[in-house]
Amino acid sequence: MASSWRRLSSVGLVITTVLLLGILLTVGFLGPVQRVLAPVLHPIGRVSYTLVDRIATFFRHRTSLAESKRENTDLKARLIQAELDRASLNQQLAELKIVREEADFLKRRSLQGATGRVIGRSQTNSQALLIDIGTQQGVHVGAPVLASGGVLIGTIIDASEVTSNIRLLTAEGTNIAVRVEKQDGPSGILVGERGVGTRLTLVPRSDSLQPKQSVVTADINPQVPSGLLVGTISVIDVAPGALFQTATVIPSIPYERLNVVTVLRRT
């Protein structure tokens, strides 16, 4: 540290001396001396000029480097914000597409509904979703809740004026009459398995069940329109000597990805 300070002091002394000599030469005070010392002063002047130029260049480089770092930081912040804006726009476009699909589905089925957004999960029940619409929008307890394409995902279990809770089909307590698509009459009851999945139960053994068959709502519950898609059959379980068979049903839409839903209203 002391050595660096001595070097800086020496440089400063040289610069000061050169500047003082320059002033004296300008006013002509050292005219006679200049003629004598010219051969000596010229080399010193060139060295001094080179030294001063290098010092100035160093500080200009430092200033330019600092400005470049600030510009780089600002550019990175702008790029991050642009990515966030792009993600937000894509999300809005995706939600708008779902809303349009739901509106088309309701129109085709002559149904009425209110569109809401998922704003959270219940703190006491992981199989309950909180949405941002309530009784002010015509939501009532027991109303079916649909996702994109008219897929049934659950029912309303309670509603305030501005929010409502959805019980998903995978929740314990779900009991909905369903049938296998392209078969006449109800096939059985869809029950939730405590968040693990859904199961088709009480299906007569005489009914033919096949993997990948679609399961839709049956025309029994007046609050739930018939023909709403629920999921597809995965694994069929037939116990020896049993009168009924069961099957695992895979939901048509991953519930954890739900953002926009439609609650059916009374017509």
Side-chain angles (χ1 to χ4, degrees):
M1 183 69 180
S3 177
S4 300
W5 176 254
R6 284 196 297 271
R7 284 197 297 270
L8 289 175
S9 298
S10 300
V11 172
L13 180 60
V14 170
I15 294 173
T16 302
T17 302
V18 171
L19 292 176
L20 180 59
L21 288 173
I23 294 172
L24 294 175
L25 289 171
T26 301
V27 299
F29 184 78
L30 296 178
V33 178
Q34 180 180 5
R35 288 190 293 271
V36 176
L37 298 180
V40 178
L41 293 177
H42 280 248
I44 294 176
R46 287 195 298 271
V47 172
S48 301
Y49 174 80
T50 302
L51 178 62
V52 171
D53 183 66
R54 289 183 178 179
I55 293 174
T57 301
F58 170 76
F59 283 106
R60 283 197 301 270
H61 176 71
R62 289 285 300 271
T63 302
S64 177
L65 183 60
E67 291 178 354
S68 298
K69 288 183 177 179
R70 285 194 295 269
E71 291 176 356
N72 188 42
T73 301
D74 182 61
L75 180 59
K76 287 182 178 179
R78 291 183 181 182
L79 288 174
I80 292 173
Q81 186 60 49
E83 282 296 312
L84 293 175
D85 292 342
R86 185 179 67 83
S88 176
L89 178 59
N90 289 339
Q91 180 66 29
Q92 293 176 18
L93 292 175
E95 291 182 358
L96 180 60
K97 180 182 178 183
I98 294 173
V99 170
R100 288 177 176 174
E101 290 176 350
E102 284 302 293
D104 291 341
F105 176 81
L106 295 178
K107 185 177 181 180
R108 291 196 306 269
R109 294 292 303 271
S110 299
L111 299 172
Q112 295 182 7
T115 300
R117 286 173 172 76
V118 177
I119 57 177
R121 289 185 179 270
S122 171
Q123 295 181 352
T124 58
N125 182 2
S126 62
Q127 293 302 298
L129 299 181
L130 181 66
I131 57 176
D132 62 355
I133 56 176
T135 55
Q136 290 182 352
Q137 290 76 31
V139 176
H140 62 278
V141 173
V145 183
L146 310 181
S148 178
V151 177
L152 182 68
I153 62 162
T155 56
I156 298 296
I157 52 176
D158 65 71
S160 67
E161 290 186 354
V162 294
T163 60
S164 305
N165 275 305
I166 304 169
R167 180 172 62 195
L168 298 174
L169 296 182
T170 51
E172 185 179 12
T174 294
N175 289 279
I176 297 178
V178 295
R179 61 182 175 84
V180 176
E181 198 170 30
K182 298 181 181 180
Q183 288 188 3
D184 296 330
S187 296
I189 303 296
L190 187 79
V191 299
E193 295 191 303
R194 299 181 180 181
V196 177
T198 57
R199 178 168 290 274
L200 177 60
T201 63
L202 299 178
V203 180
R205 187 164 184 165
S206 58
D207 287 358
S208 175
L209 296 181
Q210 299 294 330
K212 298 184 179 181
Q213 284 181 308
S214 296
V215 178
V216 298
T217 55
D219 189 12
I220 292 181
N221 188 338
Q223 288 200 92
V224 181
S226 63
L228 298 178
L229 182 62
V230 172
T232 55
I233 292 177
S234 175
V235 179
I236 302 166
D237 183 15
V238 184
L243 298 177
F244 300 97
Q245 55 185 324
T246 65
T248 301
V249 178
I250 305 299
S252 297
I253 291 180
Y255 296 160
E256 65 273 10
R257 299 181 185 176
L258 291 172
N259 292 315
V260 180
V261 298
T262 297
V263 182
L264 296 186
R265 294 185 294 205
R266 295 187 179 96
T267 57

